[in-house]
Amino acid sequence: MAIVVERETLHPTRAVAALGELGWLAVAGSASLGAGAIHAAAVGVHSEHRAAVVTFTVVAAVQLVVGALALTRAHRWVIAAGAVANLVVIGGWVMAKTSGISFIAGLEEAETPQVADSLAVGLAVVAVLGAL
């Protein structure tokens, strides 16, 4: 005996609905967690420069906290503040890749985008868009 199961057509709104009550906040929170994890790993890569270590530690902590709060249905102002924080991170990435960040030792010179930092900024963009 064979059992036939009909598949529903995948529709973009059904995929978000499958996330439950959080919807896009689940996407935003997960993206922020991912970006924070990448920035936490970058601490070791930049260990020769204390200012860079502090910067990546703060960025990682903020993104991890924002991600966790988004997944626990935080107040809207917390989500907005997290989106602003991720926008600042995106701006910092653009600055680091185009002209360098002169006031952070170890990041003074522009560098080419790498896979990890490009993925981190992509996740930050998703976190901002998901929070809208």
Side-chain angles (χ1 to χ4, degrees), residues 5-105:
V5 177
E6 288 187 37
R7 289 183 166 200
E8 292 183 39
T9 305
L10 183 60
H11 189 271
T13 57
R14 289 191 186 141
V16 174
L19 295 172
E21 292 180 29
L22 291 176
W24 285 108
L25 283 182
V27 174
S30 299
S32 190
L33 287 173
I38 293 169
H39 283 113
V43 169
V45 175
H46 296 281
S47 61
E48 67 276 2
H49 300 285
R50 179 169 166 69
V53 167
V54 170
T55 300
F56 282 108
T57 300
V58 169
V59 167
V62 167
Q63 288 180 317
L64 291 170
V65 168
V66 165
L69 290 174
L71 293 174
T72 59
R73 299 193 311 179
H75 295 286
R76 196 69 187 147
W77 69 269
V78 174
I79 302 304
V84 169
N86 274 304
L87 281 172
V88 170
V89 170
I90 294 165
W93 182 84
V94 169
M95 185 184 246
K97 301 306 170 190
T98 57
S99 63
I101 304 175
S102 62
F103 54 90
I104 300 176

